[in-house]
Amino acid sequence: MAVASEAVGRGTVRRLAGALHRHPRLRLSLLLTAPLLWLAVLYLGSLAVLFVSAFWTTNSFTSEVVKVWSTDNFRELFTTPVFRQVILRSVGVALAVTALCAVIAFPLAFYTARVAKPKWRPLLVVAILTPLWASYLVKVYAWRLILSEGGLADWMLKPFGLSGPGFGLPAAVLTLTYLWLPYMVLPIHTALEQLPANLLDASADLGARAWRTFRSVVLPMVLPSVAAGSIFTFSLSLGDYITVQIVGGKTQLIGNLVYSNIELNLPMAAALGTVPVVVIVLYLLAMRRTGALSSL
């Protein structure tokens, strides 16, 4: 009996394997079912709930959610000066962090990809990525100690008659730049490493100086990778709220308002949460024109 049932089981497995071999589309569909189900239910489903709840209201007396369709939350977002300022400040911080990361990452990546000896390049890349292995909170609190009164920043700037930035918007931008810099360095390093050396030699043979070579040869070929890195730095900075809460002093960004409204006014928190989603989608559409998405 056991032998017969085992033979039947093997026959079933062979028939199933044969069917999957003859129908590659069926095999592909079965392989993609689990990740697509996760994407549709957990990710897109949660976004759908977020968008729908943004149109609900809250009972001002009981603070309970009233599931009645209304656009009051979005009207309040764009008519209240405080909300407009916070939204613009959040986008400005994300753009500032992205710009600083690009300015710092380019020479750093150029050195690791083109100047350093080949045997040292992997070690330098690992060194750049090492901060990603540390805890997010540990890094932010380390910067809080650096920027605090009497901290390392004050100690280094004191001989020049200066003091550190303290806690506030500059501290938040500086800390976010440190946190997300590796996400900008890595794609630029990869693009510079793949840049054919004969193009640089040809540019020099044609009489182009270093700046002209950089502007006409290097930058156009590396720009998609810079845009790809900016997607990470921009989106991560726009949605961050923990860093601002720790080193930002009294600065408020979108993430802080979402966090403070979750229990008091959930629909308003949902409406605030849709703002970075929409901004990031618009940013992705803009970066798509540069070829950044193909560089990811």
Side-chain angles (χ1 to χ4, degrees), residues 242-258:
I242 298 177
T243 296
V244 181
Q245 194 166 348
I246 295 175
V247 301
K250 297 181 179 179
T251 303
Q252 290 288 318
L253 299 184
I254 293 178
N256 304 102
L257 292 184
V258 172

Side-chain angles (χ1 to χ4, degrees), residues 91-171:
V91 176
V93 166
L95 291 174
V97 170
T98 299
L100 284 174
C101 285
V103 170
I104 298 172
F106 207 102
L108 190 60
F110 189 83
Y111 179 81
T112 59
R114 311 295 304 188
V115 178
K117 294 181 179 180
K119 66 177 181 179
W120 295 111
R121 291 174 186 175
L123 296 177
L124 291 174
V125 173
V126 171
I128 292 171
L129 298 179
T130 299
L132 295 178
W133 303 346
S135 170
Y136 174 93
L137 287 176
V138 169
K139 291 183 289 187
V140 176
Y141 274 107
W143 272 97
R144 181 178 174 85
L145 292 176
I146 292 172
L147 298 171
S148 62
E149 185 177 356
L152 181 62
D154 282 346
W155 178 77
M156 293 180 65
L157 295 174
K158 189 175 181 180
F160 303 98
L162 302 174
S163 60
F167 301 139
L169 192 59

Side-chain angles (χ1 to χ4, degrees), residues 213-261:
T213 300
F214 171 77
R215 190 178 73 240
S216 302
V217 179
V218 177
L219 189 59
M221 298 191 69
V222 178
L223 191 59
S225 297
V226 177
S230 74
I231 293 174
F232 293 104
T233 58
F234 182 84
S235 58
L236 291 170
S237 301
L238 187 64
D240 192 279
Y241 75 96
I242 298 177
T243 296
V244 181
Q245 194 166 348
I246 295 175
V247 301
K250 297 181 179 179
T251 303
Q252 290 288 318
L253 299 184
I254 293 178
N256 304 102
L257 292 184
V258 172
Y259 178 77
S260 61
N261 279 278

Side-chain angles (χ1 to χ4, degrees), residues 140-198:
V140 176
Y141 274 107
W143 272 97
R144 181 178 174 85
L145 292 176
I146 292 172
L147 298 171
S148 62
E149 185 177 356
L152 181 62
D154 282 346
W155 178 77
M156 293 180 65
L157 295 174
K158 189 175 181 180
F160 303 98
L162 302 174
S163 60
F167 301 139
L169 192 59
V173 172
L174 184 62
T175 305
L176 289 172
T177 301
Y178 168 80
L179 290 174
W180 313 135
L181 180 62
Y183 293 100
M184 182 67 80
V185 174
L186 191 58
I188 298 177
H189 169 88
T190 303
L192 289 172
E193 197 173 34
Q194 296 173 352
L195 186 68
N198 56 3

